[in-house]
Amino acid sequence: MFEKRVWLLAIVILATALIAGFATAQEVLRNPGTIIKVDPDSLETLDPHLMVSTSSMEIPNNVYDSLLIYDRSAAIVIPGLATEVPSLDNGLIIVRATGVTITFPIRQGVKFHSGDVLTPEDVKYTFERALVIGGTSDTVRPLGTALLEGSFQDLVDRVGYDAAFDRLDRAIEVSGQNVVFNLEKPFAPFVTLMADNGLGLGIMCKRWAIEEGCWPGTKETGQAHMGLTVQDDPLFDKMNGTGPFKMVEWVPNERVVLKRFEEYWRGPAEIETVIRRYVPDTSARLLQLKAGDADIVRLMPADLAQLEGEQGIKFEKRIPSFWLIKLNFNFDIKSTEYIGSGELDGKGIPRNFFTDIDVRKAFCYAFDQNAFLQDVYLGQALKPYGVIPIGMPFANSHNPQYSYDPQKAIEYFKKAWGGQVWEKGFRFTVFYATGATHWERFAEILKANIEALNPKFHIDTNAVLWATMMGLIQGGTMPVHNFGLIPAVPDSYLVMEDQMYSKGFYADICHYQVLAEERYDSLVETVKESFDPELRKEAAYDLQRLCYEDALALIYWQDATTWAMRDYVYGFKPSLSPMGLDYYNFRKGSE
Amino acid sequence: MGQYTLRKLALLPVTLLCLSIIVFSFMSFISPYARLAVFCNNPEALRTVNLDVLLHRYGLDKPVPAQYWTWLNRLFHADFGWSQSARMPVSQALLRYGAASIELLSLALIWALAGSIILGTYAAVHEQTFSDMFLRVASTVSLAIPEFIFGLVLLVVFYSSVNWFPPGRLSFWALNIVYSQGFVTYTGLHTVDSLLNANFWVFLDALRHLFLPSLVVALGMWTTLFRLMRSSLLEVIHEDYVTVARAKGLTEAIVIRKHARRNALLPVITQAGITVVRSIGGIVIVESVFTFRGMGMFLVTAATTLDFPAILGISLVVGAFIILMNIVIDLGYAILDPRIQYK
């Protein structure tokens, strides 16, 4: 009886498998006109103004166009929806004592995916909307800095809604076929900002957006649309740009389908369809690439070994992104929760432990950067020159750098806090986000390196959820933070503002505003306001040197992306978005 | 029986209300900034957004009771809120991912029950033979194999090598059909919907994608059920009424199938219900390995990003599911054993 049933079960399984196997024949997956990317991240929204995840920005990058284009290969800005790149030489940038005007002549005959024709009014509407709704995208913040010296909400808080809107309205004007930006203060990165390749400031169709229920574009209605939430956003699941691909379908946490836009102003893309599938599991992504169900995958260094030597797979390795990871020293730790006793007694550290430059230098010398890059990143990441990422204008390859030197680390630890650090020792906690293996390995290497110098030195490591970590960063209670930012566009001012400006991000969370104000602010302002490239370069070089001299942070790793793709995929070009692809040049088939 | 069921069902909203208060009260222990992580899932977001503005925008700066009241008000209008981790309203996410998990768990339960009843019966009837020992060792071994290892091995063999059973819920071509305008989604269960749409190829494709993950989930369920079935049957076959049945001259097969197994099934049915409920947490790994987005992955993403509307929604649905499962188990008991009556 039992044997009969087992045989029956086996036959059923076999039959199912065979039928299922035949079902494969039905597949039309290997469509030569389709590029399939599998990605560990899902999109958060389709509204580029509310998009904060770098990975998501790949989609607006391909659906929207910006006024200018940043050519990553040549590292230059070229015309986009604007027909010329504004400069002092061509008279499109005019610097006056009262401010700066920057004019963008708008290309004619460009069509949106909806069929509407691009007008300068669309450009004005796009930028005004981004600011009025309180856009959270990476590029909206510098746009606000340039036009309003802060966010629209801040301006409203300062001068009231009416005055704020009037100022915004004056800041962006339409003059014939031109859009004129009136900046009250010079903002040299503005031209590069307009070349974000649609990541956050791609131009959207005003008529379509209003029809979909967005802000109608008038002063009277603006206040009701301020502080827009993702769930109330009419453009949460819609896109309409002038880019090479149009949005066809978005199934959240599942897939995105883009189709070629035949009327694209630069000519239609080679590939007809782009599908991005959300596959959070690394092994599953790699298996899908091996099986040919996926065409391209972004790899973590450890993944490379699993694919190298596989037939039919090729790679684009070590493409530098502008993502710089560093250990940030907190100059004023807001509680003693993670610093033991809170005293320099061998059982903790004082809250201002990192104000001593010798402590910071000692940490910079104590960490074995090469071991990290080789062991954890298997040589696939870069050792940065300094605070400006490699590949970005003004990155100084001759800037002095810290390298692993235990003797020098001991020397500085002996000098720190009048010799008390060496004599009494210390203890504190280094946090890393759960699941971020590279941060975990960093913490382990740092712990090993530091504790090897003196048996009285102790570092505890602790994994916390990103949500918890965010609360700790905001609360200022962590003695050190280990993370990095990706600048919105490749302009060194944006890096310098984040890293070294007294009103910048890191100065705020690491509490070194006083030091920044004394030593860096005037130089940062030069990089921000000067339209003279030589002057900007000089200031940027000085800032990189000062960052080294002051050991402001332990800058140890610059991300470099490696892509694995099927060998019949061609046309890969590095994109402005480190985690995304620019599909315009892709093609499938023979070379 | 009817009254009993109604009484149990009437308690459902009260239980769920209590559950929602408990889950909501956890929020008071978590920093509002940490709760913003679901909107700022990377460090860049910390720079671009003003967290205080965001707190106000999403109402997280209000006292917890006020937030609860707002949530409850919305719930009365059938609005579970917005899940930022799922990028859609919670109710929509629950329907979508719930359907996927129901499909997966149902098939896994069929595998597990069929396997454990057939093999458990065989092992009990052939007690202390080689087959019995082999099956018991096999059940121990299958318990020891981590689900993600088993899942990965299956993927490597049946997907990477022969491409029989790919990951995901459907193939690309099937997804194109399912998301096309001509395909009507009735239940969210691809197997059922494809049959209702009379598309046999999509049905086969859905089965093909369900096969491996359901096998892995079933493996986790099978061990307990098999052992329970075996021990329960061993106990029953030594009871007097079974001896009487044998004495009446019935064949061993009829004695086992019609007299002994029916009673031995009682604890197995109870345990099966509990196993299914427990598996909701356990299917996370399987869903992740097979890129099979269901409730497990939804729950984990919501929990790790502190997506409270989603956590609340899932808690309520899982709570309701557990209560309903218990009622079903109780009713199943009564059907299997007419001596049991509920008052």
Side-chain angles (χ1 to χ4, degrees):
Chain A
M1 176 65 76
F2 170 74
E3 281 79 3
K4 276 183 189 170
R5 282 178 185 167
V6 169
W7 276 111
L8 193 68
L9 190 68
I11 289 166
V12 169
I13 292 172
L14 196 66
T16 313
L18 283 174
I19 292 169
F22 287 129
T24 318
Q26 275 279 306
E27 294 178 2
V28 284
L29 301 182
R30 289 138 211 251
N31 187 335
T34 302
I35 288 280
I36 298 159
K37 179 197 182 198
V38 282
D39 200 284
D41 299 311
S42 69
L43 298 191
E44 55 200 315
T45 171
L46 295 188
D47 187 341
H49 296 156
L50 293 183
M51 209 173 255
V52 292
S53 147
T54 313
S55 169
S56 298
M57 290 174 189
E58 172 186 55
I59 301 302
N61 181 201
N62 286 282
V63 173
Y64 288 99
D65 279 323
S66 47
L67 292 180
L68 304 171
I69 296 168
Y70 189 85
D71 183 338
R72 180 80 202 276
S73 312
I76 52 164
V77 174
I78 57 173
L81 293 181
T83 53
E84 282 183 81
V85 179
S87 68
L88 291 169
D89 293 339
N90 64 18
L92 293 176
I93 298 179
I94 300 169
V95 183
R96 298 190 188 90
T98 52
V100 178
T101 59
I102 303 177
T103 304
F104 290 87
I106 303 303
R107 195 176 292 279
Q108 296 192 40
V110 174
K111 276 193 176 175
F112 284 101
H113 303 153
S114 56
D116 297 81
V117 175
L118 172 77
T119 67
E121 281 296 337
D122 295 315
V123 179
K124 179 178 162 75
Y125 176 80
T126 300
F127 294 124
E128 285 188 349
R129 177 187 184 265
L131 292 165
V132 167
I133 65 164
T136 47
S137 176
D138 217 9
T139 38
V140 177
R141 186 185 53 84
L143 180 74
T145 308
L147 298 177
L148 310 172
E149 289 165 56
S151 71
F152 184 67
Q153 178 69 58
D154 289 344
L155 190 62
V156 170
D157 292 344
R158 282 204 310 272
V159 301
Y161 174 77
D162 286 349
F165 191 89
D166 290 342
R167 178 164 173 193
L168 174 62
D169 205 36
R170 283 196 306 276
I172 311 169
E173 288 178 336
V174 172
S175 169
Q177 191 58 26
N178 298 334
V179 174
V180 182
F181 292 90
N182 300 304
L183 281 56
E184 289 194 3
K185 285 187 177 173
F187 191 78
F190 196 80
V191 170
T192 316
L193 188 63
M194 293 297 112
D196 83 330
N197 295 2
L199 297 182
L201 295 177
I203 307 304
M204 55 178 62
C205 176
K206 181 179 179 180
R207 183 204 61 76
W208 165 82
I210 295 171
E211 195 177 279
E212 292 295 341
C214 291
W215 169 54
T218 60
K219 182 178 175 178
E220 297 69 35
T221 52
Q223 218 158 358
H225 289 80
M226 286 174 66
L228 186 66
T229 57
V230 172
Q231 63 261 42
D232 295 329
D233 181 10
L235 301 190
F236 169 73
D237 55 358
K238 297 174 191 77
M239 280 184 153
N240 176 26
T242 59
F245 293 93
K246 52 187 177 183
M247 171 61 62
V248 174
E249 179 188 82
W250 176 40
V251 184
N253 288 333
E254 197 158 323
R255 69 176 195 162
V256 179
V257 182
L258 305 178
K259 285 273 181 206
R260 178 170 67 198
F261 180 42
E262 300 295 345
E263 295 176 84
Y264 184 48
W265 62 275
R266 285 199 285 165
E270 298 233 12
I271 209 83
E272 192 186 325
T273 308
V274 172
I275 297 176
R276 171 174 146 158
R277 282 192 80 185
Y278 172 49
V279 181
D281 185 74
T282 308
S283 308
R285 285 197 300 277
L286 302 187
L287 285 174
Q288 289 187 25
L289 181 73
K290 283 182 190 175
D293 284 341
D295 293 316
I296 188 159
V297 181
R298 178 165 51 89
L299 298 181
M300 290 301 286
D303 307 337
L304 187 60
Q306 294 186 51
L307 289 178
E308 265 185 329
E310 279 285 331
Q311 256 196 339
I313 293 175
K314 63 180 181 181
F315 302 92
E316 290 284 347
K317 291 181 185 172
R318 290 189 93 208
I319 296 159
S321 83
F322 299 131
W323 189 17
L324 212 61
I325 302 289
K326 58 200 190 81
L327 185 75
N328 309 294
F329 305 116
N330 189 349
F331 282 43
D332 182 14
I333 303 155
K334 293 297 177 192
S335 89
T336 55
E337 209 173 337
Y338 307 113
I339 52 172
S341 62
E343 306 285 340
L344 200 51
D345 54 3
K347 295 171 189 163
I349 54 168
R351 285 167 46 187
N352 59 348
F353 184 61
F354 290 106
T355 52
D356 189 318
I357 189 170
D358 292 321
V359 170
R360 302 199 300 269
K361 284 191 172 178
F363 269 87
C364 290
Y365 279 120
F367 180 66
D368 191 347
Q369 297 186 30
N370 284 331
F372 176 81
L373 293 174
Q374 290 307 318
D375 297 348
V376 180
Y377 270 82
L378 308 173
Q380 293 299 309
L382 307 170
K383 187 181 178 204
Y385 307 145
V387 72
I388 299 182
I390 297 167
M392 190 176 274
F394 309 149
N396 181 8
S397 58
H398 301 296
N399 196 55
Q401 298 169 36
Y402 289 100
S403 49
Y404 180 52
D405 188 337
Q407 286 312 312
K408 276 196 174 172
I410 290 171
E411 190 184 311
Y412 280 106
F413 270 129
K414 282 182 174 170
K415 277 165 52 179
W417 286 82
Q420 288 187 76
V421 171
W422 187 257
E423 194 186 312
K424 294 181 177 170
F426 60 79
R427 171 168 232 132
F428 66 87
T429 306
V430 173
F431 289 93
Y432 56 89
T434 311
T437 46
H438 49 288
W439 290 353
E440 184 182 353
R441 292 288 291 124
F442 167 84
E444 284 167 359
I445 293 172
L446 181 73
K447 178 184 167 71
N449 288 162
I450 293 285
E451 291 182 352
L453 298 176
N454 184 338
K456 293 174 184 167
F457 292 176
H458 299 287
I459 288 181
D460 302 314
T461 59
N462 196 0
V464 289
L465 288 178
W466 165 244
T468 312
M469 197 157 168
M470 208 178 94
L472 295 177
I473 293 168
Q474 194 66 16
T477 53
M478 284 200 292
V480 289
H481 321 116
N482 182 20
F483 68 89
L485 302 175
I486 308 172
V489 288
D491 189 285
S492 23
Y493 165 68
L494 297 180
V495 176
M496 292 306 182
E497 188 208 17
D498 280 340
Q499 315 273 359
M500 301 183 76
Y501 197 42
S502 65
K503 297 183 185 73
F505 177 72
Y506 283 112
D508 182 39
I509 62 162
C510 295
H511 311 104
Y512 53 74
Q513 293 97 333
V514 176
L515 176 71
E517 211 170 309
E518 279 172 10
R519 284 173 64 83
Y520 318 136
D521 276 9
S522 61
L523 289 166
V524 175
E525 278 158 17
T526 303
V527 183
K528 177 186 179 185
E529 294 179 1
S530 173
F531 283 94
D532 179 348
E534 280 307 310
L535 212 59
R536 292 188 84 204
K537 182 178 174 182
E538 199 180 310
Y541 273 37
D542 283 347
L543 283 164
Q544 288 171 85
R545 179 180 47 79
L546 287 173
C547 184
Y548 165 79
E549 284 177 4
D550 293 344
L552 202 54
L554 166 53
I555 304 166
Y556 64 95
W557 162 51
Q558 181 174 339
D559 178 57
T561 317
T562 294
W563 296 92
M565 62 196 89
R566 302 298 311 183
D567 57 5
Y568 44 71
V569 172
Y570 298 97
F572 175 89
K573 267 183 152 186
S575 161
L576 194 53
S577 161
M579 295 165 192
L581 292 165
D582 186 344
Y583 295 103
Y584 183 60
N585 296 302
F586 269 102
R587 61 188 186 284
K588 223 167 153 183
S590 59
E591 196 165 18
Chain B
M1 175 101 74
Q3 268 189 340
Y4 168 83
T5 310
L6 282 176
R7 209 167 48 240
K8 284 264 184 181
L9 284 175
L11 275 175
L12 185 65
V14 181
T15 315
L16 294 182
L17 190 73
C18 294
L19 183 66
S20 72
I21 292 171
I22 293 167
V23 176
F24 224 96
S25 61
F26 290 153
M27 282 198 332
S28 52
F29 298 107
I30 297 169
S31 143
Y33 290 116
R35 288 184 55 203
L36 277 180
V38 72
F39 299 101
C40 312
N41 52 7
N42 58 19
E44 282 72 49
L46 287 177
R47 171 188 52 183
T48 56
V49 300
N50 181 327
L51 292 186
D52 292 317
V53 169
L54 219 57
L55 278 182
H56 182 68
R57 196 180 284 192
Y58 289 96
L60 302 179
D61 55 346
K62 291 181 187 159
V64 173
Q67 289 181 46
Y68 180 68
W69 184 244
T70 310
W71 177 81
L72 205 59
N73 265 325
R74 283 187 178 167
L75 193 66
F76 285 128
H77 295 91
D79 177 6
F80 279 80
W82 177 265
S83 166
Q84 181 62 14
S85 63
R87 326 319 194 183
M88 62 183 89
V90 174
S91 49
Q92 199 180 322
L94 289 170
L95 285 175
R96 174 176 296 172
Y97 299 133
S101 291
I102 286 170
E103 207 167 30
L104 177 59
L105 282 174
S106 305
L107 194 60
L109 189 64
I110 292 171
W111 287 121
L113 275 177
S116 56
I117 292 170
I118 295 170
L119 297 175
T121 306
Y122 183 81
V125 171
H126 298 86
E127 191 193 2
Q128 299 305 333
T129 63
F130 174 76
S131 309
D132 178 34
M133 278 189 288
F134 175 79
L135 284 170
R136 278 190 289 156
V137 169
S139 74
T140 310
V141 170
S142 63
L143 192 67
I145 301 174
E147 285 178 337
F148 73 95
I149 299 271
F150 185 49
L152 274 176
V153 169
L154 288 181
L155 262 184
V156 168
V157 175
F158 291 105
Y159 171 53
S160 195
S161 302
V162 294
N163 200 14
W164 280 6
F165 303 108
R169 281 188 76 191
L170 286 173
S171 301
F172 290 127
W173 62 267
L175 276 173
N176 288 338
I177 294 171
V178 167
Y179 291 126
S180 68
Q181 288 193 335
F183 192 93
V184 185
T185 302
Y186 297 99
T187 61
L189 280 72
H190 291 329
T191 43
V192 177
D193 287 346
S194 55
L195 289 177
L196 292 174
N197 280 270
N199 195 320
F200 189 65
W201 288 114
V202 173
F203 172 74
L204 275 185
D205 191 64
L207 266 191
R208 192 157 78 109
H209 284 79
L210 272 167
F211 184 73
L212 292 187
S214 63
L215 209 61
V216 178
V217 176
L219 188 80
M221 296 174 167
W222 174 76
T223 308
T224 321
L225 297 179
F226 161 75
R227 285 172 170 253
L228 201 60
M229 183 68 211
R230 180 183 172 277
S231 59
S232 176
L233 193 62
L234 277 176
E235 207 173 295
V236 170
I237 54 179
H238 293 115
E239 284 195 12
D240 293 345
Y241 77 92
V242 177
T243 313
V244 171
R246 284 198 184 104
K248 278 161 66 181
L250 296 173
T251 63
E252 188 64 14
I254 291 175
V255 169
I256 297 295
R257 209 167 54 220
K258 296 223 168 146
H259 294 267
R261 191 159 67 183
R262 187 167 168 150
N263 280 338
L265 272 175
L266 284 173
V268 176
I269 297 293
T270 315
Q271 185 60 39
I274 296 165
T275 307
V276 168
V277 171
R278 280 193 181 158
S279 297
I280 293 172
I283 57 174
V284 174
I285 293 166
V286 178
E287 287 182 359
S288 179
V289 168
F290 290 95
T291 325
F292 196 96
R293 280 201 78 82
M295 283 290 269
M297 280 177 82
F298 181 35
L299 174 64
V300 167
T301 316
T304 52
T305 55
L306 299 180
D307 181 0
F308 260 89
I311 293 170
L312 277 161
I314 297 166
S315 304
L316 293 189
V317 167
V318 173
F321 180 71
I322 291 170
I323 293 167
L324 292 173
M325 277 299 288
N326 278 325
I327 296 173
V328 170
I329 291 165
D330 288 348
L331 296 178
Y333 243 82
I335 292 165
L336 283 170
D337 188 349
R339 290 169 300 174
I340 296 171
Q341 284 189 337
Y342 297 108
K343 289 180 180 171

